[in-house]
């Protein structure tokens, strides 16, 4: 059923609640969401007929029969699902507006493109370019997406070390939350950045470690890192910050696990099409994997072993599983629910599918103290759904960020409403479709 077809019954059922949403957004009062199916994505699991009390932007209480404080707005969820806001995946939301227009894309570095020399700049931080007013933010937000991991990468003249990204909440705030994440690309897709051989990727990574350790001096002819680069990379060694590695082939993942163990590096894997082949090693090393559950056929020689059961097999072995899209994830963050739903349809337990959109990425990215679950003390970033959030025919009815009910509008919904609106027929003097109502009445 389309969102427009559902609009009338939903509006009728939530008429009173909608008034509460508007009042709360304006006055920032306390809110009690009552009679919800609360999917906490935490130790409490799913709570039936439960309430969530929000005060000063945080969750104050979760459980049945909560009393509404004086002056609080009360929303009757009518037993509908309530979840934390969802993880939008690894994207360029806010650092990419139109992927085909280079002037609007800030997530990749190409300092050596003209000289054809490799430049390694781990100090490159894409969060400095984040634009909270991007039109992509509300497009994702009205679909229940509340936060995302900004990715950094390289093109020609860059290196397999893409730079740093970070978690941003889609609340209109300008600053990331939590620690930075370093991005590294391995495998055949990155071979052009490493002398056209994946073997050279390990040579480069080991040299970078030697530079950080002082075994190669900063003034050596072969040195690759700036002073800032050495300082930055040092933060990710010896159990420091998280390194997100884009890699698919099992052989490359095996080498990655060995490299990470040698240097005490906390890694996560994005992609991991053949990760299921190494489930014991990944589970033992406690490496989270951000999989694409739709990868079921070989898209290249690094994905010969791709299977739609990848997420289920990893999860069954005790590997923490989240999700990541291939392709244009920035403009399609809403499809993260579809990825999780497909993983569930192919063996992943439903609760673990929801966790892959909430608590698992929050824990992996170091923001679980703020995001990813419904618990006392967490940010009140919540979504009320029309039905099962992993079913694409269901929709987000209301999103709260910091306890504030947000307008459920975006550029896409406004364009939809503009073109669907009934106008005066042109033969009766009306203007063509899509003209504003005020113009059509003249």
């Amino acid at each position: 059923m389309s969102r427009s077809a559902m609009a009338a019954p939903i509006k009728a059922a939530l008429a009173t609640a909608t008034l509460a949403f508007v009042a709360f957004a304006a006055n920032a009062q306390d809110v009690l969401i009552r009679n919800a199916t609360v999917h906490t994505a935490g130790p409490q699991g799913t709570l039936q007929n439960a309430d969530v009390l929000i005060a000063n932007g945080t969750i104050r209480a979760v459980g049945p029969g909560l009393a509404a404080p004086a002056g609080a707005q009360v929303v009757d969820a009518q037993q509908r699902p309530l979840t934390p806001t969802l993880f939008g995946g690894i994207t360029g939301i806010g650092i990419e507006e139109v992927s085909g227009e280079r002037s609007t894309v800030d997530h990749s570095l190409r300092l050596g493109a003209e000289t054809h020399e490799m430049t390694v700049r781990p100090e490159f931080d894409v969060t400095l370019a984040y634009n909270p007013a991007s039109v992509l933010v509300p497009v994702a937000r009205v679909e229940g997406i509340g936060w995302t991991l900004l990715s950094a990468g390289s093109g020609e003249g860059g290196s397999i070390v893409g730079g740093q990204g970070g978690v941003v909440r889609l609340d209109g705030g300008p600053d990331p939350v939590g620690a930075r994440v370093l991005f590294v690309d391995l495998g055949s897709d990155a071979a052009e950045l490493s002398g056209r051989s994946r073997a050279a990727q390990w040579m480069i990574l080991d040299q970078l470690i030697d530079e950080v350790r002082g075994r190669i001096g900063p003034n050596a002819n072969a040195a690759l890192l700036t002073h800032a680069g050495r300082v930055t990379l040092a933060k990710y060694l010896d159990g420091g910050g998280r390194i997100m590695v884009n890699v698919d082939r099992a052989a490359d993942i095996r080498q990655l696990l060995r490299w990470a163990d040698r240097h005490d590096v906390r890694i996560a894997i994005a992609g991991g099409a053949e990760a299921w082949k190494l489930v014991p090693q990944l589970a033992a090393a406690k490496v989270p994997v951000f999989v694409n559950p739709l990868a079921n056929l070989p898209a290249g020689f690094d994905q010969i072993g791709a299977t739609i059961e990848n997420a289920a097999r990893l999860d069954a072995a005790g590997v923490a599983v989240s999700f990541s899209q291939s392709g244009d994830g920035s403009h399609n963050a809403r499809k993260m629910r579809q990825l999780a739903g497909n993983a569930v349809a192919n063996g992943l337990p439903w609760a673990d599918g929801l966790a892959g959109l909430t608590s698992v990425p929050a824990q992996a990215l170091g923001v679980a103290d703020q995001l990813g679950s419904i618990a006392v003390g967490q940010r009140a970033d919540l979504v009320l759904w029309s039905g099962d959030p992993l079913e694409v025919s269901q929709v987000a009815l209301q999103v709260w960020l910091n306890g504030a009910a947000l307008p459920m509008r975006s550029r896409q919904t406004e364009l939809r409403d503009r073109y669907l609106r009934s106008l005066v027929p042109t033969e009766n003097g009306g203007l063509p479709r899509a003209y504003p109502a005020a113009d059509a009445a003249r």
Side-chain angles (χ1 to χ4, degrees), residues 369-384:
D369 60 329
Q370 303 180 55
L371 306 173
S373 63
I374 299 178
V376 174
Q378 292 282 87
R379 288 183 184 269
D381 291 0
L382 305 169
V383 189
L384 182 64

Side-chain angles (χ1 to χ4, degrees), residues 203-373:
M203 175 187 73
I204 293 168
L205 288 175
D206 283 340
Q207 175 177 333
L208 297 178
I209 299 295
D210 285 342
E211 291 188 37
V212 172
R213 302 295 193 201
R215 293 188 285 266
I216 297 177
N219 297 319
N221 289 335
L224 295 171
L225 294 171
T226 65
H227 172 73
R230 290 193 298 276
V231 171
T232 297
L233 189 56
K235 298 176 182 177
Y236 294 91
L237 306 182
D238 302 321
R242 181 76 72 180
I243 298 181
M244 182 69 68
V245 184
N246 294 295
V247 61
D248 283 308
R249 196 169 79 168
D252 296 331
I253 296 173
R254 184 180 296 108
Q255 294 296 341
L256 173 63
L257 290 171
R258 293 172 177 173
W259 178 84
D261 182 63
R262 286 200 308 272
H263 301 295
D264 190 18
V265 173
R266 295 174 59 243
I267 60 171
I269 289 173
E274 294 187 349
W276 63 271
K277 294 185 176 183
L278 295 165
V279 289
Q281 298 94 319
L282 289 166
K286 298 182 179 179
V287 174
V289 182
F290 292 67
V291 302
N292 177 6
L294 299 183
N296 192 38
L297 295 172
F301 286 100
D302 283 13
Q303 301 181 28
I304 295 295
T307 170
I308 204 164
E309 296 179 355
N310 193 12
R313 295 179 186 182
L314 289 166
D315 180 79
V319 178
V321 176
S322 185
F323 308 107
S324 178
Q325 295 189 65
S326 58
D328 196 359
S330 302
H331 294 81
N332 294 286
R334 65 186 181 277
K335 293 184 179 179
M336 289 291 287
R337 290 197 297 133
Q338 181 179 358
L339 266 63
N342 273 269
V344 169
N346 289 278
L348 184 69
W350 189 94
D352 293 344
L354 179 65
L357 293 173
T358 53
S359 57
V360 169
Q363 291 163 3
L365 302 175
V367 294
D369 60 329
Q370 303 180 55
L371 306 173
S373 63

